[in-house]
């Protein structure tokens, strides 16, 4: 999430206050506070811990459920009482932050009057950091310190030197935001003081150089912001009422149309039954349409029987092509017996071959010459 100079809500003496970018002082947070766009809630770093965790692709599938148990050996408290979140930094590298559930619930409750506060991160991770430097902001007698992408803390000013000595790697620069340089430097060793890059100002000056929100957001899971149902209802109330009225009118229209169609169907069924009785006045009527269809089907040919008329056309066409003449036709059980006359025996054979080419099985049964013509009988399979 990218924002320009985000404002920051932090806790001062247990009470949330708002720091605006460039402000010289903070302002108390109340129900009347108008928050700027992109405001971030910085949770007290002495109550929130963060660390890096390597997660394999196999573990990633169930990370949300297994994360508390993966961190069990790194915390002293019961994981059931802690709230864990994780944010990916790389392919297998995750930034993990966790705090007590009761603490998280208390922070959310203190800011529950404003639903625009959706990003809750450790305040230490809100500090800008470049390279291997260390960044700190002095807040009264305490210091908020950040020394890596995933690590930071809120400590007493008197412990600043001790914490810096405990770091695994000496920072190249120690950027400190504050108002009393001498007081802060007096707490450091000479080597540490030589690394100080002093910036006059507090959180307000620091926010002028901050361009991004924390890489991890603790307002997830059971602490995720609730849906703004009241706000949605205010926006869509008129549309919802209009849609309800339209649906009600449509329902009434559909019911009325259904009753009309039902009455028309009854009248149609009665007319069908009357028509059936005209065709078949006897017997019980269960389904007039089906009964009449079955009775008509008894007079229709079977689907497997080849249509007779197209085959008859093939026979007559083949006969006339050889100047022949059909004298009689007899059709029985898929066989057609054809009596014809032709000019000679060769013409009869040509007629038979033409029928074969038309896909008919033609067999010459008898042939005889009478005068100037030849009479023949062919048996043709048409089924």
């Amino acid at each position: 999430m990218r924002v320009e100079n985000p404002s920051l809500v932090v806790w001062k003496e247990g009470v949330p206050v708002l720091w605006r970018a460039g402000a010289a002082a903070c302002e108390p947070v109340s129900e009347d506070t108008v928050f700027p766009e992109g405001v971030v809630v910085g949770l007290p770093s002495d109550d929130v811990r963060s660390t890096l965790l390597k997660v394999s692709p196999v573990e990633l599938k169930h990370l949300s459920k297994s994360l508390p148990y993966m961190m069990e050996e790194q915390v002293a408290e019961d994981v059931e009482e802690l709230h864990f979140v994780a944010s990916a930094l790389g392919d297998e590298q995750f930034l993990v932050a966790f705090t007590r559930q009761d603490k998280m619930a208390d922070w959310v409750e203190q800011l529950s009057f404003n639903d625009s506060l959706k990003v809750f991160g450790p305040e230490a991770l809100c500090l800008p950091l470049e390279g291997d430097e260390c960044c700190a902001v002095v807040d009264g007698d305490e210091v908020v310190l950040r020394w890596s992408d995933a690590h930071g803390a809120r400590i007493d000013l008197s412990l600043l030197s001790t914490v810096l000595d405990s770091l695994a790697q000496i920072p190249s620069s120690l950027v400190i935001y504050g108002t009393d340089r001498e007081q802060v430097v007096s707490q450091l060793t000479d080597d540490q003081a030589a690394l100080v890059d002093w910036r006059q100002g507090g959180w307000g000056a620091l926010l002028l150089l901050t361009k991004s929100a924390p890489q991890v957001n603790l307002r997830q899971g059971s602490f995720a912001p609730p849906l703004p149902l009241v706000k949605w209802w205010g926006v869509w109330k008129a549309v919802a009422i209009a849609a309800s009225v339209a649906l009600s009118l449509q329902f009434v229209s559909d019911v009325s149309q259904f009753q009309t169609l039902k009455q028309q169907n009854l009248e149609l069924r009665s007319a069908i039954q009357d028509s059936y009785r005209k065709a078949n006045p006897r017997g019980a009527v269960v389904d007039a349409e089906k009964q009449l269809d079955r009775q008509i089907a008894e007079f229709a040919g079977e689907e497997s029987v080849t249509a007779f008329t197209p085959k008859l056309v093939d026979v007559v066409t083949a006969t006339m092509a050889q100047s022949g003449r059909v004298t009689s036709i007899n059709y029985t059980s898929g066989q057609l017996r054809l009596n014809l006359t032709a000019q000679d025996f060769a013409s009869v054979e040509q007629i038979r071959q033409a029928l074969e080419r038309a896909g008919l099985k033609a067999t010459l049964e008898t042939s005889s010459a009478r005068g100037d013509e030849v009479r023949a009988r062919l048996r043709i399979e048409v089924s």
Side-chain angles (χ1 to χ4, degrees):
M1 175 181 176
R2 300 290 298 177
V3 294
E4 292 296 325
N5 299 123
S7 297
L8 184 68
V9 174
V10 295
W11 269 258
K12 187 174 183 178
E13 298 179 355
V15 178
V17 295
L18 173 64
W19 280 97
R20 300 179 187 271
C26 61
E27 58 185 87
V29 171
S30 67
E31 295 184 6
D32 298 326
T33 300
V34 178
F35 291 99
E37 184 178 355
V39 65
V40 175
V41 178
L43 303 177
S45 291
D46 48 356
D47 289 317
V48 181
R49 285 184 56 191
S50 57
T51 186
L52 293 177
L53 180 67
K54 188 174 183 180
V55 181
S56 66
V58 176
E59 296 172 320
L60 182 60
K61 298 179 181 178
H62 309 287
L63 181 60
S64 59
K65 295 182 179 179
S66 62
L67 180 59
Y69 307 102
M70 295 171 67
M71 297 292 297
E72 195 167 14
E73 296 182 357
Q74 301 186 37
V75 298
E77 299 180 77
D78 184 1
V79 295
E80 298 293 339
E81 298 179 357
L82 299 177
H83 171 57
F84 293 86
V85 295
S87 177
L89 298 181
D91 292 339
E92 297 184 2
Q93 197 82 346
F94 279 77
L95 171 59
V96 178
F98 57 94
T99 186
R100 290 185 57 86
Q101 293 189 14
D102 55 352
K103 286 281 188 180
M104 187 67 190
D106 183 52
W107 293 327
V108 172
E109 178 62 26
Q110 290 183 59
L111 299 172
S112 60
F113 54 83
N114 192 300
D115 57 5
S116 67
L117 303 176
K118 300 178 181 179
V119 180
F120 285 51
E123 61 182 354
L125 299 187
C126 296
L127 273 62
L129 192 68
E130 294 183 5
D132 58 351
E133 69 180 18
C134 182
C135 185
V137 59
V138 180
D139 189 8
D141 294 332
E142 295 182 324
V143 178
V144 180
L145 181 68
R146 181 182 184 184
W147 59 87
S148 72
D149 291 338
H151 298 96
R154 173 182 281 267
I155 58 175
D156 288 337
L157 179 59
S158 60
L159 298 176
L160 177 59
S161 178
T162 304
V163 172
L164 292 174
D165 280 338
S166 68
L167 298 181
Q169 184 177 357
I170 299 176
S172 61
S173 176
L174 181 56
V175 180
I176 300 179
Y177 291 83
T179 56
D180 191 341
R181 187 178 189 280
E182 292 184 2
Q183 179 189 14
V184 175
V185 173
S186 66
Q187 303 291 330
L188 305 176
T189 65
D190 292 341
D191 292 339
Q192 293 169 349
L195 300 175
V196 171
D197 179 3
W198 184 260
R199 310 281 177 87
Q200 191 68 21
W203 282 105
L206 180 147
L207 291 172
L208 287 174
L209 300 178
T210 302
K211 299 295 184 182
S212 62
Q215 291 180 295
V216 64
N217 183 11
L218 280 92
R219 194 153 195 200
Q220 299 181 35
S222 59
F223 297 103
L227 295 175
L229 300 179
V230 175
K231 181 178 179 181
W232 290 351
W233 174 248
V235 174
W236 295 99
K237 180 179 179 180
V239 177
I241 293 175
S244 300
V245 172
L247 288 174
S248 300
L249 293 175
Q250 183 64 42
F251 177 76
V252 173
S253 175
D254 290 344
V255 171
S256 176
Q257 187 175 12
F258 172 76
Q259 294 296 337
T260 302
L261 293 175
K262 183 178 179 181
Q263 182 61 35
Q264 293 177 353
N265 182 60
L266 292 175
E267 295 174 358
L268 181 60
R269 303 292 297 182
S270 178
I272 291 174
Q273 184 167 333
D274 292 342
S275 298
Y276 174 80
R277 279 306 185 193
K278 293 178 181 178
N280 187 5
R282 294 176 298 175
V285 179
V286 179
D287 190 329
E289 293 178 86
K290 288 186 178 180
Q291 287 178 270
L292 192 58
D293 287 341
R294 290 169 184 166
Q295 293 173 8
I296 294 174
E298 294 178 0
F299 300 97
E302 299 179 357
E303 294 181 358
S304 60
V305 178
T306 304
F308 173 75
T309 304
K311 302 304 178 183
L312 180 59
V313 172
D314 292 337
V315 170
V316 175
T317 301
T319 303
M320 294 178 64
Q322 300 300 325
S323 301
R325 181 168 55 87
V326 177
T327 58
S328 65
I329 294 177
N330 183 18
Y331 177 77
T332 306
S333 301
Q335 288 187 347
L336 187 148
R337 284 180 168 77
L338 173 67
N339 292 320
L340 58 84
T341 60
Q343 296 177 353
D344 47 35
F345 291 106
S347 297
V348 174
E349 178 60 21
Q350 290 174 358
I351 292 173
R352 190 192 68 78
Q353 292 177 0
L355 293 173
E356 292 279 353
R357 287 193 297 271
L360 301 174
K361 184 178 180 182
T363 305
L364 180 62
E365 290 188 337
T366 62
S367 63
S368 60
R370 292 189 179 181
D372 296 334
E373 60 183 10
V374 173
R375 294 189 176 187
R377 174 181 291 181
L378 297 176
R379 186 178 74 254
I380 304 170
E381 301 289 342
V382 297
S383 60

